[in-house]
Amino acid sequence: QTVSDPVSGREVTFVYGGGDCPKPVTGFVPAPRGKLCAVKFWDGSTSAILYVDVPGLEPSIGRIIDYPEAKGEGASVLDLAYDPAGRLARTRSPLVAAAAASNVIGVDDSQFWTEVAYTPEGKVASIAEPNAVAGGQRCTRSYEYESARSTNVFDSCFGGRILSVVFDPTTFFTTSATNAAGQTLRNE
């Protein structure tokens, strides 16, 4: 499928599973039929979308690769991983993926991945930032769901609560947010 701009003459082509998709590398599976697997831009740059098996569910996006040059060199890679329930559990940034590809860090060294944990109800319990250096302090944001209308946000590097949010449970619009300094923003 192609989208064209009649003024500039530029076009973007979307490729779906069952079409001319990139070959999956080790650890990935072919793109499911009808799921986006590549994007080709007017300047020759491309993006590839690779999929991973999620047990008991359909394959999910596991890697996005952006090739900024027509030659396919200098790729930017974003990796995604899922928990057994099929929820996003870890991400690895392009900078960390490049360091792993260059053997600067271990290929699957979890301290450099962003990690998401969930409550038994399926809400986000915490998000751990990736380490900036091996063995460094890792900051974690955790979430306390006080009621159906309010959430508290804590930060391990800050040393406590950084935000209390009250929201409308029907629209999820924030009605007020109070920061650690006691300053409150109200939406009325």
Side-chain angles (χ1 to χ4, degrees):
Q1 194 172 28
T2 300
V3 177
S4 299
D5 177 6
V7 176
S8 68
R10 294 177 173 176
E11 68 180 31
V12 177
T13 302
F14 300 95
V15 182
Y16 295 90
D20 186 22
C21 293
K23 273 194 149 174
V25 295
T26 303
F28 296 90
V29 298
R33 185 166 206 70
K35 299 283 184 173
L36 187 65
C37 66
V39 182
K40 299 174 183 178
F41 299 92
W42 64 90
D43 62 357
S45 60
T46 61
S47 294
I49 295 96
L50 303 179
Y51 289 79
V52 292
D53 265 330
V54 179
L57 301 169
E58 287 186 22
S60 292
I61 294 173
R63 177 173 283 172
I64 301 170
I65 308 168
D66 289 320
Y67 298 102
E69 304 168 356
K71 297 175 190 163
E73 298 173 8
S76 175
V77 177
L78 172 69
D79 286 319
L80 308 164
Y82 302 87
D83 70 6
R87 300 172 297 207
L88 187 62
R90 301 186 326 148
T91 64
R92 183 168 68 174
S93 73
L95 179 63
V96 173
S102 301
N103 294 317
V104 173
I105 63 169
V107 172
D108 202 30
D109 193 339
S110 66
Q111 70 177 323
F112 296 110
W113 288 66
T114 297
E115 294 180 328
V116 183
Y118 296 88
T119 67
E121 298 81 30
K123 297 177 181 179
V124 173
S126 65
I127 301 174
E129 295 178 358
N131 262 343
V133 296
Q137 180 181 3
R138 194 168 184 185
C139 298
T140 300
R141 289 263 168 109
S142 57
Y143 303 87
E144 176 185 88
Y145 302 96
E146 201 169 82
S147 72
R149 298 181 45 97
S150 66
T151 301
N152 292 309
V153 182
F154 299 86
D155 190 290
S156 65
C157 289
F158 181 76
R161 184 171 57 196
I162 58 169
L163 191 65
S164 293
V165 179
V166 178
F167 55 91
D168 180 328
T170 57
T171 63
F172 295 105
F173 290 145
T174 299
T175 55
S176 71
T178 305
N179 66 17
Q183 299 168 321
T184 301
L185 165 75
R186 295 191 194 290
N187 293 322
E188 298 177 0

